[in-house]
Short mmCIF file of all heavy atoms in Angstrom, two decimals:
data_model
loop_
_atom_site.label_atom_id
_atom_site.label_comp_id
_atom_site.label_asym_id
_atom_site.label_seq_id
_atom_site.Cartn_x
_atom_site.Cartn_y
_atom_site.Cartn_z
N LYS H 1 0.83 -1.20 0.00
CA LYS H 1 0.00 0.00 0.00
C LYS H 1 0.86 1.26 0.00
O LYS H 1 0.56 2.25 -0.67
CB LYS H 1 -0.91 -0.01 1.24
CG LYS H 1 -1.93 1.09 1.26
CD LYS H 1 -2.86 0.91 2.44
CE LYS H 1 -3.93 1.99 2.45
NZ LYS H 1 -4.86 1.83 3.59
N VAL H 2 1.96 1.22 0.75
CA VAL H 2 2.87 2.36 0.80
C VAL H 2 3.51 2.59 -0.57
O VAL H 2 3.61 3.73 -1.04
CB VAL H 2 3.97 2.14 1.87
CG1 VAL H 2 4.95 3.32 1.89
CG2 VAL H 2 3.34 1.96 3.24
N ILE H 3 3.95 1.51 -1.22
CA ILE H 3 4.56 1.64 -2.54
C ILE H 3 3.56 2.25 -3.53
O ILE H 3 3.90 3.17 -4.29
CB ILE H 3 5.05 0.25 -3.06
CG1 ILE H 3 6.19 -0.26 -2.18
CG2 ILE H 3 5.50 0.35 -4.52
CD1 ILE H 3 6.61 -1.69 -2.48
N ARG H 4 2.33 1.74 -3.52
CA ARG H 4 1.31 2.25 -4.44
C ARG H 4 1.04 3.74 -4.20
O ARG H 4 0.95 4.53 -5.15
CB ARG H 4 0.01 1.47 -4.30
CG ARG H 4 -1.07 1.94 -5.28
CD ARG H 4 -2.33 1.09 -5.21
NE ARG H 4 -3.03 1.26 -3.95
CZ ARG H 4 -3.18 0.30 -3.04
NH1 ARG H 4 -2.67 -0.89 -3.24
NH2 ARG H 4 -3.83 0.54 -1.91
N GLN H 5 0.93 4.12 -2.92
CA GLN H 5 0.63 5.51 -2.59
C GLN H 5 1.73 6.45 -3.10
O GLN H 5 1.45 7.45 -3.78
CB GLN H 5 0.48 5.70 -1.08
CG GLN H 5 0.29 7.15 -0.67
CD GLN H 5 0.31 7.36 0.81
OE1 GLN H 5 0.11 6.41 1.57
NE2 GLN H 5 0.55 8.57 1.25
N TYR H 6 2.98 6.13 -2.79
CA TYR H 6 4.07 7.01 -3.18
C TYR H 6 4.34 6.98 -4.67
O TYR H 6 4.76 7.98 -5.25
CB TYR H 6 5.33 6.67 -2.37
CG TYR H 6 5.31 7.29 -1.00
CD1 TYR H 6 4.72 6.62 0.07
CD2 TYR H 6 5.85 8.55 -0.77
CE1 TYR H 6 4.67 7.20 1.33
CE2 TYR H 6 5.81 9.12 0.48
CZ TYR H 6 5.22 8.45 1.53
OH TYR H 6 5.17 9.03 2.77
N ARG H 7 4.09 5.84 -5.30
CA ARG H 7 4.24 5.79 -6.77
C ARG H 7 3.25 6.73 -7.43
O ARG H 7 3.59 7.48 -8.35
CB ARG H 7 4.01 4.35 -7.26
CG ARG H 7 4.07 4.23 -8.79
CD ARG H 7 3.92 2.81 -9.25
NE ARG H 7 2.63 2.22 -8.91
CZ ARG H 7 1.50 2.47 -9.57
NH1 ARG H 7 1.48 3.31 -10.60
NH2 ARG H 7 0.37 1.89 -9.20
N LYS H 8 2.00 6.72 -6.96
CA LYS H 8 0.98 7.61 -7.53
C LYS H 8 1.30 9.07 -7.25
O LYS H 8 1.08 9.93 -8.10
CB LYS H 8 -0.40 7.25 -6.98
CG LYS H 8 -0.95 5.94 -7.54
CD LYS H 8 -2.39 5.72 -7.08
CE LYS H 8 -2.98 4.48 -7.73
NZ LYS H 8 -4.40 4.27 -7.35
N GLN H 9 1.83 9.34 -6.06
CA GLN H 9 2.18 10.72 -5.73
C GLN H 9 3.27 11.25 -6.65
O GLN H 9 3.31 12.44 -6.97
CB GLN H 9 2.62 10.81 -4.27
CG GLN H 9 1.48 10.68 -3.28
CD GLN H 9 1.94 10.80 -1.83
OE1 GLN H 9 3.11 11.07 -1.57
NE2 GLN H 9 1.03 10.59 -0.90
N GLN H 10 4.17 10.37 -7.08
CA GLN H 10 5.26 10.77 -7.97
C GLN H 10 4.87 10.62 -9.45
O GLN H 10 5.69 10.87 -10.33
CB GLN H 10 6.51 9.93 -7.69
CG GLN H 10 7.05 10.06 -6.27
CD GLN H 10 7.38 11.48 -5.90
OE1 GLN H 10 7.88 12.25 -6.73
NE2 GLN H 10 7.09 11.86 -4.66
N ASN H 11 3.61 10.23 -9.69
CA ASN H 11 3.12 10.05 -11.07
C ASN H 11 3.98 9.08 -11.86
O ASN H 11 4.32 9.32 -13.03
CB ASN H 11 3.03 11.40 -11.79
CG ASN H 11 1.96 12.28 -11.21
OD1 ASN H 11 0.84 11.83 -10.98
ND2 ASN H 11 2.29 13.54 -10.96
N LEU H 12 4.34 7.97 -11.23
CA LEU H 12 5.14 6.94 -11.88
C LEU H 12 4.28 5.72 -12.16
O LEU H 12 3.35 5.42 -11.41
CB LEU H 12 6.31 6.53 -10.97
CG LEU H 12 7.36 7.61 -10.67
CD1 LEU H 12 8.31 7.13 -9.58
CD2 LEU H 12 8.14 7.98 -11.94
N THR H 13 4.59 5.02 -13.24
CA THR H 13 3.89 3.77 -13.55
C THR H 13 4.65 2.61 -12.92
O THR H 13 5.82 2.74 -12.52
CB THR H 13 3.82 3.54 -15.07
OG1 THR H 13 5.15 3.37 -15.59
CG2 THR H 13 3.16 4.74 -15.77
N GLN H 14 3.99 1.47 -12.85
CA GLN H 14 4.66 0.27 -12.32
C GLN H 14 5.85 -0.10 -13.21
O GLN H 14 6.89 -0.55 -12.73
CB GLN H 14 3.67 -0.88 -12.24
CG GLN H 14 2.61 -0.69 -11.18
CD GLN H 14 1.65 -1.86 -11.11
OE1 GLN H 14 1.57 -2.68 -12.01
NE2 GLN H 14 0.88 -1.93 -10.00
N GLU H 15 5.70 0.12 -14.50
CA GLU H 15 6.77 -0.21 -15.44
C GLU H 15 7.99 0.68 -15.21
O GLU H 15 9.14 0.21 -15.28
CB GLU H 15 6.27 -0.05 -16.88
CG GLU H 15 7.28 -0.54 -17.92
CD GLU H 15 6.72 -0.52 -19.33
OE1 GLU H 15 5.55 -0.11 -19.50
OE2 GLU H 15 7.45 -0.90 -20.26
N GLN H 16 7.76 1.96 -14.92
CA GLN H 16 8.88 2.86 -14.65
C GLN H 16 9.63 2.44 -13.39
O GLN H 16 10.86 2.48 -13.35
CB GLN H 16 8.37 4.29 -14.51
CG GLN H 16 7.95 4.92 -15.83
CD GLN H 16 7.28 6.27 -15.64
OE1 GLN H 16 6.43 6.43 -14.78
NE2 GLN H 16 7.67 7.24 -16.46
N ILE H 17 8.88 2.05 -12.37
CA ILE H 17 9.51 1.57 -11.14
C ILE H 17 10.33 0.31 -11.45
O ILE H 17 11.46 0.16 -11.00
CB ILE H 17 8.44 1.25 -10.07
CG1 ILE H 17 7.67 2.51 -9.66
CG2 ILE H 17 9.09 0.57 -8.86
CD1 ILE H 17 8.47 3.48 -8.84
N ALA H 18 9.73 -0.58 -12.22
CA ALA H 18 10.40 -1.84 -12.56
C ALA H 18 11.70 -1.60 -13.34
O ALA H 18 12.75 -2.21 -13.04
CB ALA H 18 9.45 -2.72 -13.39
N ASN H 19 11.66 -0.69 -14.32
CA ASN H 19 12.86 -0.39 -15.12
C ASN H 19 13.97 0.19 -14.26
O ASN H 19 15.15 -0.12 -14.45
CB ASN H 19 12.51 0.58 -16.24
CG ASN H 19 11.63 -0.07 -17.31
OD1 ASN H 19 11.61 -1.30 -17.44
ND2 ASN H 19 10.90 0.72 -18.05
N TYR H 20 13.60 1.04 -13.31
CA TYR H 20 14.59 1.67 -12.44
C TYR H 20 15.27 0.63 -11.55
O TYR H 20 16.48 0.71 -11.29
CB TYR H 20 13.90 2.73 -11.58
CG TYR H 20 14.81 3.45 -10.62
CD1 TYR H 20 15.60 4.53 -11.03
CD2 TYR H 20 14.90 3.05 -9.28
CE1 TYR H 20 16.44 5.19 -10.15
CE2 TYR H 20 15.73 3.71 -8.39
CZ TYR H 20 16.50 4.78 -8.82
OH TYR H 20 17.33 5.43 -7.95
N LEU H 21 14.50 -0.36 -11.10
CA LEU H 21 15.03 -1.35 -10.16
C LEU H 21 15.57 -2.60 -10.85
O LEU H 21 16.19 -3.45 -10.20
CB LEU H 21 13.93 -1.77 -9.17
CG LEU H 21 13.39 -0.66 -8.27
CD1 LEU H 21 12.21 -1.19 -7.44
CD2 LEU H 21 14.48 -0.13 -7.33
N GLY H 22 15.32 -2.72 -12.16
CA GLY H 22 15.80 -3.90 -12.88
C GLY H 22 14.98 -5.13 -12.61
O GLY H 22 15.51 -6.26 -12.59
N VAL H 23 13.67 -4.94 -12.38
CA VAL H 23 12.76 -6.07 -12.18
C VAL H 23 11.64 -5.95 -13.19
O VAL H 23 11.61 -5.03 -14.01
CB VAL H 23 12.18 -6.08 -10.73
CG1 VAL H 23 13.29 -6.23 -9.72
CG2 VAL H 23 11.38 -4.81 -10.47
N SER H 24 10.70 -6.89 -13.16
CA SER H 24 9.60 -6.86 -14.11
C SER H 24 8.43 -6.04 -13.56
O SER H 24 8.26 -5.92 -12.33
CB SER H 24 9.13 -8.27 -14.43
OG SER H 24 8.56 -8.86 -13.28
N ALA H 25 7.61 -5.51 -14.46
CA ALA H 25 6.41 -4.77 -14.04
C ALA H 25 5.45 -5.67 -13.24
O ALA H 25 4.87 -5.21 -12.25
CB ALA H 25 5.71 -4.17 -15.27
N PRO H 26 5.26 -6.94 -13.65
CA PRO H 26 4.41 -7.82 -12.83
C PRO H 26 4.91 -7.99 -11.40
O PRO H 26 4.12 -8.16 -10.47
CB PRO H 26 4.43 -9.15 -13.59
CG PRO H 26 4.68 -8.75 -15.01
CD PRO H 26 5.62 -7.59 -14.92
N ALA H 27 6.23 -7.91 -11.22
CA ALA H 27 6.79 -8.04 -9.87
C ALA H 27 6.35 -6.85 -9.01
O ALA H 27 5.95 -7.03 -7.84
CB ALA H 27 8.31 -8.11 -9.92
N VAL H 28 6.39 -5.65 -9.59
CA VAL H 28 5.95 -4.46 -8.86
C VAL H 28 4.46 -4.56 -8.55
O VAL H 28 4.01 -4.19 -7.46
CB VAL H 28 6.25 -3.17 -9.67
CG1 VAL H 28 5.72 -1.93 -8.94
CG2 VAL H 28 7.75 -3.05 -9.94
N ASN H 29 3.71 -5.08 -9.53
CA ASN H 29 2.28 -5.26 -9.31
C ASN H 29 2.00 -6.20 -8.14
O ASN H 29 1.10 -5.97 -7.33
CB ASN H 29 1.64 -5.80 -10.60
CG ASN H 29 0.14 -5.96 -10.47
OD1 ASN H 29 -0.37 -7.01 -10.09
ND2 ASN H 29 -0.60 -4.90 -10.77
N LYS H 30 2.79 -7.26 -8.03
CA LYS H 30 2.63 -8.22 -6.93
C LYS H 30 2.95 -7.56 -5.59
O LYS H 30 2.30 -7.82 -4.59
CB LYS H 30 3.53 -9.43 -7.16
CG LYS H 30 3.05 -10.37 -8.26
CD LYS H 30 3.97 -11.57 -8.41
CE LYS H 30 3.48 -12.51 -9.50
NZ LYS H 30 4.38 -13.67 -9.65
N TRP H 31 3.98 -6.68 -5.58
CA TRP H 31 4.30 -5.97 -4.34
C TRP H 31 3.11 -5.14 -3.87
O TRP H 31 2.73 -5.17 -2.71
CB TRP H 31 5.50 -5.03 -4.54
CG TRP H 31 6.78 -5.71 -4.93
CD1 TRP H 31 7.07 -7.04 -4.84
CD2 TRP H 31 7.93 -5.07 -5.48
NE1 TRP H 31 8.34 -7.29 -5.30
CE2 TRP H 31 8.90 -6.09 -5.70
CE3 TRP H 31 8.25 -3.77 -5.81
CZ2 TRP H 31 10.16 -5.80 -6.23
CZ3 TRP H 31 9.50 -3.47 -6.34
CH2 TRP H 31 10.44 -4.48 -6.55
N GLU H 32 2.54 -4.40 -4.82
CA GLU H 32 1.46 -3.48 -4.46
C GLU H 32 0.20 -4.22 -4.03
O GLU H 32 -0.62 -3.66 -3.30
CB GLU H 32 1.15 -2.55 -5.64
CG GLU H 32 2.28 -1.58 -5.94
CD GLU H 32 1.88 -0.49 -6.94
OE1 GLU H 32 0.70 -0.47 -7.36
OE2 GLU H 32 2.74 0.33 -7.30
N ASN H 33 0.04 -5.44 -4.47
CA ASN H 33 -1.13 -6.23 -4.09
C ASN H 33 -0.83 -7.20 -2.96
O ASN H 33 -1.64 -8.09 -2.66
CB ASN H 33 -1.67 -6.98 -5.31
CG ASN H 33 -2.35 -6.06 -6.30
OD1 ASN H 33 -3.43 -5.54 -6.03
ND2 ASN H 33 -1.72 -5.85 -7.45
N ASP H 34 0.35 -7.03 -2.36
CA ASP H 34 0.76 -7.85 -1.21
C ASP H 34 0.83 -9.35 -1.52
O ASP H 34 0.66 -10.18 -0.63
CB ASP H 34 -0.18 -7.62 -0.02
CG ASP H 34 -0.06 -6.21 0.55
OD1 ASP H 34 1.06 -5.68 0.56
OD2 ASP H 34 -1.08 -5.65 0.98
N ASN H 35 1.10 -9.65 -2.78
CA ASN H 35 1.29 -11.06 -3.15
C ASN H 35 2.74 -11.50 -2.98
O ASN H 35 3.04 -12.70 -2.96
CB ASN H 35 0.86 -11.28 -4.61
CG ASN H 35 -0.65 -11.10 -4.77
OD1 ASN H 35 -1.42 -11.48 -3.89
ND2 ASN H 35 -1.07 -10.52 -5.89
N SER H 36 3.64 -10.50 -2.91
CA SER H 36 5.05 -10.78 -2.64
C SER H 36 5.68 -9.48 -2.14
O SER H 36 5.03 -8.43 -2.14
CB SER H 36 5.79 -11.29 -3.89
OG SER H 36 5.82 -10.26 -4.88
N TYR H 37 6.96 -9.56 -1.72
CA TYR H 37 7.63 -8.39 -1.18
C TYR H 37 8.93 -8.15 -1.93
O TYR H 37 9.57 -9.09 -2.41
CB TYR H 37 7.93 -8.58 0.31
CG TYR H 37 6.70 -8.78 1.14
CD1 TYR H 37 6.32 -10.05 1.59
CD2 TYR H 37 5.89 -7.69 1.49
CE1 TYR H 37 5.18 -10.23 2.35
CE2 TYR H 37 4.75 -7.86 2.25
CZ TYR H 37 4.39 -9.13 2.67
OH TYR H 37 3.26 -9.29 3.42
N PRO H 38 9.35 -6.89 -2.03
CA PRO H 38 10.63 -6.62 -2.70
C PRO H 38 11.79 -7.16 -1.89
O PRO H 38 11.73 -7.22 -0.65
CB PRO H 38 10.67 -5.08 -2.76
CG PRO H 38 9.74 -4.62 -1.70
CD PRO H 38 8.67 -5.65 -1.60
N ASP H 39 12.85 -7.55 -2.58
CA ASP H 39 14.06 -8.01 -1.90
C ASP H 39 14.60 -6.88 -1.03
O ASP H 39 14.50 -5.71 -1.39
CB ASP H 39 15.11 -8.43 -2.95
CG ASP H 39 16.31 -9.09 -2.31
OD1 ASP H 39 17.20 -8.35 -1.86
OD2 ASP H 39 16.34 -10.33 -2.25
N ILE H 40 15.19 -7.24 0.11
CA ILE H 40 15.67 -6.23 1.05
C ILE H 40 16.71 -5.30 0.41
O ILE H 40 16.81 -4.12 0.76
CB ILE H 40 16.23 -6.91 2.32
CG1 ILE H 40 16.45 -5.86 3.42
CG2 ILE H 40 17.52 -7.67 2.00
CD1 ILE H 40 16.77 -6.46 4.77
N THR H 41 17.47 -5.83 -0.57
CA THR H 41 18.50 -5.00 -1.22
C THR H 41 17.87 -3.94 -2.12
O THR H 41 18.55 -2.98 -2.52
CB THR H 41 19.45 -5.88 -2.06
OG1 THR H 41 18.68 -6.58 -3.07
CG2 THR H 41 20.18 -6.88 -1.18
N LEU H 42 16.60 -4.12 -2.47
CA LEU H 42 15.92 -3.15 -3.35
C LEU H 42 15.27 -2.01 -2.57
O LEU H 42 14.82 -1.03 -3.18
CB LEU H 42 14.85 -3.87 -4.18
CG LEU H 42 15.33 -4.91 -5.18
CD1 LEU H 42 14.14 -5.57 -5.86
CD2 LEU H 42 16.24 -4.26 -6.22
#
């Protein structure tokens, strides 16, 4: 929920977040829906 809130505040898409971190857009989507969590190094 925190990731989704701040991403929207910065007007970023899930794909932009994914490209910046070197992960897939579906991975970011899973984070935001609490289906998985980002690696601690990220």
Side-chain angles (χ1 to χ4, degrees):
K1 187 174 182 180
V2 178
I3 294 172
R4 182 176 68 245
Q5 175 187 341
Y6 279 87
R7 176 177 63 78
K8 288 187 175 182
Q9 287 181 5
Q10 300 303 322
N11 292 314
L12 296 170
T13 64
Q14 291 181 344
E15 187 174 1
Q16 287 173 315
I17 297 289
N19 290 338
Y20 179 83
L21 297 174
V23 298
S24 66
V28 177
N29 182 269
K30 287 181 179 179
W31 298 344
E32 292 190 3
N33 288 290
D34 292 325
N35 293 323
S36 65
Y37 299 102
D39 188 276
I40 192 170
T41 60
L42 295 177

